Structure formats: structure tokens, C-alpha cells
Amino acid sequence: MEISSQIPWSTIAAVISWYSSNIGVLLLNKYLLTNYGFAYPVFLTLCHMTACSVLSYIAVSVMDVVPFQSIQSRTQLVKICGLSVVFCFSVVCGNISLKYIPVSFNQAIGATTPFFTAVFAYLVSRKREAWITYGTLVPVVAGVIIATGGEPSFHLFGFLICVSATAARAFKSVLQGILLSSEGEKLNSMNLLMYMAPIAMVVLLPAAILMEDKVIWITIEIARNDIRVVWLLLFSSSLAFFVNLTNFLVTKHTSPLTLQVLGNAKGAVAVGVSILVFKNPVSVVGMMGYGLTVIGVILYTETKKRYRL
């Protein structure tokens, strides 16, 4: 039977677009921050949030990609502001880590998101999983420990900041489930992005000015000598929005479990592509560690589905 008769082409297109934009923004950010020498991750994140603000507004309010959802109360706005700060922190830390560690190692650490999600779910809301589900987190963590020991390009600060980004990403997902849990407060991912991105901009602008001295003038000066930096920043920022848009579309066209499986495969593809593009050294031990982490994530997803308390 042909694949087109089993899976709609719209779903296939959404998955391919999600993979391409997600891996593309990772590789482009790595290129900007290291190979190109644009060492300003906070300003880069500010550019991303600016693009997400503009493009998400166009997608929701102008193009009607999804129905517009308004903020219902001041309390809901405060909750969104809190999520925005955590979201900001995770993205900035993720971009900073790319200055110091390869994309492949970044993805290996990022695969431990389920571990941090389980920890924060218990600490924040006392939500427990079956013991067998927690057991599957052992290979998730063990794999990263092995990958770390076998990583030729290991950088302690890069490792710690990437772990912080992964933890913050998990914390944001747990907080989102708690803070926006009532029917009147639930927002789909595109509407939530439309509200969070401008708040993130407000947080990031002073942070960029304080942490990356004269970054705006430096960027203008670089652009005068090499206009490519403008196009690279615009392309990277646009891809950052399309990561969110295509993630929404894939979620819409598939089940949560399929999304988890696709996400795991996407990480593996990103590792392979980054090694081919940047030719960063890898070890057999490091790849075995990453493989163990992926297996652990798959087992975690499966047991979480089967053994619910």
C-alpha cells in the first residue's frame, strides 16, 4: 500500500517542515555563534522573539491560522508573564550553550527533558508516576553521563548552561499545565506564543544591553562591513517562528504519542546532520551514551502511557 493512502500528505509536509525548521535553526544558530563569530546569544534570542511576536500576530490575527483567543483576566496575564520569563531563560541558555558545545552534545543533553519534567511535576504538584516509569529514567540520565564522559568537545560551562536550558524547558511545560489548566484559561500554542513573545522581548532588551555591551551598535557596524549578518539573523529568527508553527501543525495532525516518537527521531537526525555539517569529533562511547538516552526516553514514553496512577 502506498504511503499516501496511509498518511495524509499534509501531515507528511508538516513533519518534514518541523524537522527542517528545528534542525535548521539549531545549525544556523551554531554557525552564527561560533563559525561566523556573532557571539551575542541574548541579542540573537531577542531577534527570535521579535520575529515570533510579529509573525505569530500575523498568523493568528490576520491569516486566521488558528482562532484568536483573548486574555480573560489580569490573573491569566500574570501567569503568562511568569511563563514568558521561564521560556526566555530556557531559550537564552540554549543559545549560550551552542557557543561552547556541539549541536550533537546539545541534543543529547536536551533528550533528558522527560527526567526534569518528572522531577518538577512531583516537586511542584506532587504528581507521581508508576515506579516502573521512574525506572525508565535511569537509562535517560545514565546515557547522558556516558555521553559526557565520551564527549571530545566537552566544555563544563556549556554543559551546565545546556542542562539549565533543558531543566527550564521542562519547568515551563509543568508550569503551563498547572497555571493554564482551567478551561477558561487554556490557550493553544500559537496564541500562547503570540502573548509570550512580546513579554520576552521586554525582558530580553535590557538584558542584551546590560550583558552584551553595545551589541546593537556592534551589529550595525558588522552589517556595514558584511550585510550577510542581517540576512542570517532574519533567516534564523524566521526559522525560530516556524519551529513553533510547525510544532503546532504536527501536534494538530498527529497524536501526542506520535509527537513524542517524532521528537525522539528528530533529535537523532539533528545529531547526524550537525556532525556532517560541522564535522565535530565524536566518540563511540559518546554515541552509545546518546543512544542509551534515546532508548530510555522511548521506554519512558511507553510506560507513562501504560502505567498511569
Side-chain angles (χ1 to χ4, degrees):
M1 187 181 292
E2 293 182 0
I3 191 170
S4 58
S5 63
Q6 298 174 343
I7 306 173
W9 283 108
S10 58
T11 302
I12 296 172
V15 171
I16 292 173
S17 299
W18 183 42
Y19 272 44
S20 300
S21 58
N22 203 298
I23 296 171
V25 76
L26 270 172
L27 298 181
L28 189 51
N29 287 352
K30 178 66 177 176
Y31 174 77
L32 273 165
L33 294 166
T34 56
N35 298 57
Y36 186 83
F38 187 81
Y40 305 104
V42 180
F43 181 74
L44 177 61
T45 309
L46 175 61
C47 293
H48 288 182
M49 292 302 103
T50 303
C52 286
S53 299
V54 175
L55 295 176
S56 61
Y57 176 80
I58 293 172
V60 175
S61 300
V62 179
M63 299 179 65
D64 293 323
V65 172
V66 296
F68 173 79
Q69 295 173 293
S70 61
I71 295 177
Q72 300 298 317
S73 65
R74 181 175 296 180
T75 302
Q76 187 185 17
L77 177 60
V78 171
K79 292 175 179 179
I80 293 171
C81 288
L83 287 173
S84 299
V85 173
V86 179
F87 175 60
C88 238
F89 179 77
S90 68
V91 177
V92 169
C93 286
N95 284 336
I96 291 174
S97 73
L98 289 173
K99 284 179 62 179
Y100 302 99
I101 61 175
V103 173
S104 53
F105 192 35
N106 174 284
Q107 290 296 286
I109 298 169
T112 60
T113 300
F115 167 76
F116 290 104
T117 302
V119 170
F120 286 127
Y122 178 75
L123 292 177
V124 175
S125 60
R126 297 300 175 185
K127 180 182 178 182
R128 294 179 57 193
E129 303 288 348
W131 284 110
I132 190 171
T133 304
Y134 287 123
T136 61
L137 293 172
V138 173
V140 172
V141 177
V144 170
I145 293 172
I146 294 170
T148 300
E151 175 55 50
S153 305
F154 178 79
H155 188 284
L156 180 59
F157 178 73
F159 169 76
L160 293 176
I161 205 75
C162 190
V163 170
S164 299
T166 305
R169 192 159 52 245
F171 187 49
K172 182 251 179 187
S173 68
V174 171
L175 279 183
Q176 184 175 329
I178 296 170
L179 296 180
L180 303 179
S181 58
S182 66
E183 285 302 317
E185 291 185 331
K186 283 183 180 178
L187 297 171
N188 63 52
S189 59
M190 287 307 298
N191 274 274
L192 185 59
L193 180 66
M194 183 179 69
Y195 291 122
M196 286 201 311
I199 298 169
M201 285 174 56
V202 173
V203 174
L204 287 168
L205 182 57
I209 293 171
L210 290 172
M211 296 172 64
E212 299 173 340
D213 191 34
K214 300 178 181 178
V215 63
I216 296 174
W217 306 116
I218 291 171
T219 304
I220 293 172
E221 191 60 35
I222 294 173
R224 285 175 179 169
N225 297 317
D226 185 3
I227 195 63
R228 284 187 307 157
V229 72
V230 175
W231 298 113
L232 288 170
L233 287 172
L234 284 173
F235 189 36
S236 175
S237 301
S238 300
L239 282 177
F241 166 73
F242 282 108
V243 167
N244 290 279
L245 175 62
T246 54
N247 181 272
F248 170 80
L249 293 174
V250 172
T251 305
K252 181 180 177 182
H253 287 288
T254 65
S255 66
L257 180 60
T258 302
L259 188 69
Q260 286 277 0
V261 173
L262 289 171
N264 297 335
K266 175 175 59 62
V269 173
V271 168
V273 173
S274 70
I275 292 171
L276 288 173
V277 172
F278 294 110
K279 295 180 172 57
N280 54 283
V282 291
S283 67
V284 175
V285 173
M287 293 308 295
M288 287 174 62
Y290 178 66
L292 181 60
T293 294
V294 172
I295 291 171
V297 171
I298 293 170
L299 291 174
Y300 173 79
T301 303
E302 187 63 25
T303 54
K304 188 175 179 180
K305 182 183 72 170
R306 293 189 179 187
Y307 300 96
R308 292 187 180 275
L309 294 179

